[in-house]
Amino acid sequence: MSQARQYELVYIVSPDATEQDVADLHAQVEANVARYGGGMVKSENWGRRKLAYRIGKHREGTYVLEVFTGTGELTKELDRRLKVSDHVIRHLCIRVDEELRLAERTKARREADQQKRIARGLSAGGAKQRAEDEGGDDDQADRAEVS
């Protein structure tokens, strides 16, 4: 069995679907995640919104975000089920754990750099703070005096 990873699934439900249909679809996704040994992290119903472009005959739809952990088999099964669903007009499932890990490393590096600056007695702001401390606008120094 492959390693559990974190995924984001966004799907657009047809505007013809009722709130109960959207809730049933969410329940189906949640049941599949549980069946394949995954876990739901977050679920958000973004509501009915206008589409960026027409999809079939639809100009708007209900957007739903599901964040879950699971395996590749789970994502294949969800993809298969959402493709055959009458209410889903578009869906996209992406893996986000790599991006989250990269963002955490970047944040940790920035915090460490900030702590080093503070330990040396410098301001925590960095280059932006230095520009403000020196008078801000560098245009004054760039202009040559003409007499």
Side-chain angles (χ1 to χ4, degrees), residues 84-116:
V84 298
S85 175
D86 293 334
H87 296 297
V88 177
I89 55 178
R90 279 285 195 275
H91 72 279
L92 178 67
C93 185
I94 60 169
R95 184 176 142 197
V96 294
D97 58 349
E98 287 289 325
E99 287 82 11
L100 291 173
R101 192 173 46 164
L102 180 63
E104 287 173 5
R105 273 193 298 189
T106 303
K107 182 179 177 183
R109 187 177 327 119
R110 286 182 182 160
E111 289 174 356
D113 289 346
Q114 184 177 11
Q115 292 302 321
K116 287 179 187 176

Side-chain angles (χ1 to χ4, degrees), residues 47-119:
R48 195 173 182 139
R49 297 177 182 225
K50 185 177 177 186
L51 300 174
Y53 54 90
R54 193 177 199 163
I55 300 175
K57 61 179 180 159
H58 305 292
R59 293 184 182 269
E60 58 182 27
T62 303
Y63 285 71
V64 180
L65 167 72
E66 309 274 358
V67 180
F68 61 92
T69 57
T71 61
E73 292 84 27
L74 170 61
T75 59
K76 289 177 189 175
E77 179 65 17
L78 285 174
D79 185 51
R80 185 185 71 79
R81 288 184 181 264
L82 291 173
K83 279 181 183 177
V84 298
S85 175
D86 293 334
H87 296 297
V88 177
I89 55 178
R90 279 285 195 275
H91 72 279
L92 178 67
C93 185
I94 60 169
R95 184 176 142 197
V96 294
D97 58 349
E98 287 289 325
E99 287 82 11
L100 291 173
R101 192 173 46 164
L102 180 63
E104 287 173 5
R105 273 193 298 189
T106 303
K107 182 179 177 183
R109 187 177 327 119
R110 286 182 182 160
E111 289 174 356
D113 289 346
Q114 184 177 11
Q115 292 302 321
K116 287 179 187 176
R117 291 186 57 78
I118 291 172

Side-chain angles (χ1 to χ4, degrees), residues 131-147:
E132 291 174 3
D133 290 343
E134 293 172 359
D137 194 14
D138 284 59
D139 291 341
Q140 302 271 335
D142 292 342
R143 293 187 191 130
E145 249 183 73
V146 179
S147 304

